[in-house]
Amino acid sequence: MRRLLIISVGLAALMVGVVGAWYAVRQEREFRRLIGTGDSALARDDTYGAIEAFSGALALRDDSMLAHLRRGDAYRRRGELTAALRDLRQAAALDPSAPAPAELSGDVNVAMGRYTRAAEDYKAFTLLDDRSPRVLYKLALAYYRNRQIDDAITPLRDALALDPRLAEAYYLLGVCLRERSETEEARQAPTRALEISPTFAAVREELVDLYEATGRR
């Protein structure tokens, strides 16, 4: 009788384990489905549908960095910036080694006009990944908008070392150098930008101003 009881308890425990494993697999499949649905909605620029899907995924796994990141991006695209920052900060806390939350947080802070915070976010990105000319340019632009002209120049040069055809970086470098009264190099940088992108109207305007300032009409 005792042996039968032990066998019954063992079988019951086995059944509980099987049911638990089945439920975990089912939950993981549903989580992945919701992430895929959210990604598809974002690709269509359906931010409302994306937020619903990612929220559903987070109801299943609140510790998912990816779901917080994706929902934060969806909120950012909708212009719900406070909600976006909340999700992006949570994503960064869940995975401090992931650079993407830092870049998107910087983008949100730029949209809010908080350039000091944006520069801190982009700087945090570069500490994790210093090979992105796009983010180095964003860092320089945040510094420039915060009137930290000297701080903007180094990331611009770093960005151009990684991508010598980044016309926007040449243009901004020229603007920064002009403000530092380094006239000759200030002229060379936008000239290079114009060679790369001949239709870049702002560069032409900058060169006109530079030539007029030096009497070269």
Side-chain angles (χ1 to χ4, degrees):
M1 183 71 180
R2 184 173 179 178
R3 184 178 178 184
L4 181 61
L5 178 62
I6 292 173
I7 292 173
S8 298
V9 170
L11 286 173
L14 179 62
M15 288 300 297
V16 169
V18 169
V19 170
W22 173 82
Y23 180 76
V25 169
R26 182 180 178 185
Q27 191 175 45
E28 180 64 20
R29 285 178 179 171
E30 179 63 7
F31 173 80
R32 292 183 181 278
R33 185 192 71 79
L34 287 166
I35 291 292
T37 299
D39 285 342
S40 297
L42 270 186
R44 300 191 306 270
D45 204 28
D46 175 13
T47 54
Y48 181 79
I51 289 169
E52 276 201 330
F54 295 134
S55 295
L58 285 167
L60 296 174
R61 279 179 48 188
D62 188 48
D63 62 345
S64 169
M65 186 281 285
L66 181 64
H68 279 290
L69 177 69
R70 295 282 203 272
R71 191 173 71 174
D73 190 23
Y75 278 128
R76 178 186 67 87
R77 297 190 194 188
R78 281 181 66 83
E80 297 181 34
L81 302 181
T82 300
L85 272 182
R86 182 181 62 244
D87 265 332
L88 294 170
R89 296 300 187 203
Q90 183 63 23
L94 287 167
D95 186 358
S97 66
E103 179 181 3
L104 288 175
S105 294
D107 294 347
V108 172
N109 277 312
V110 166
M112 297 173 78
R114 298 162 55 176
Y115 302 120
T116 299
R117 293 295 299 273
E120 290 171 357
D121 289 326
Y122 295 137
K123 184 67 176 177
F125 180 104
T126 64
L127 294 175
L128 296 168
D129 177 4
D130 62 355
R131 305 293 297 173
S132 173
R134 178 191 69 254
V135 177
L136 287 166
Y137 170 75
K138 288 182 179 181
L139 172 60
L141 187 58
Y143 279 141
Y144 174 77
R145 287 176 171 171
N146 206 39
R147 306 311 300 157
Q148 295 173 256
I149 306 302
D150 292 341
D151 292 327
I153 291 175
T154 297
L156 284 171
R157 295 194 190 281
D158 290 343
L160 289 168
L162 293 168
D163 183 2
R165 296 194 60 78
L166 191 59
E168 294 88 347
Y170 277 113
Y171 167 66
L172 184 57
L173 178 60
V175 171
C176 291
L177 291 171
R178 182 187 181 192
E179 296 208 16
R180 295 210 315 186
S181 300
E182 298 180 28
T183 308
E184 182 55 30
E185 193 175 0
R187 182 187 62 79
Q188 292 174 2
T191 298
R192 178 63 181 139
L194 203 56
E195 291 171 357
I196 296 167
S197 180
T199 59
F200 200 159
V203 177
R204 294 184 181 277
E205 294 172 6
E206 176 67 14
L207 282 170
V208 167
D209 290 343
L210 279 167
Y211 284 134
E212 287 187 345
T214 55
R216 298 171 63 181
R217 297 185 178 277

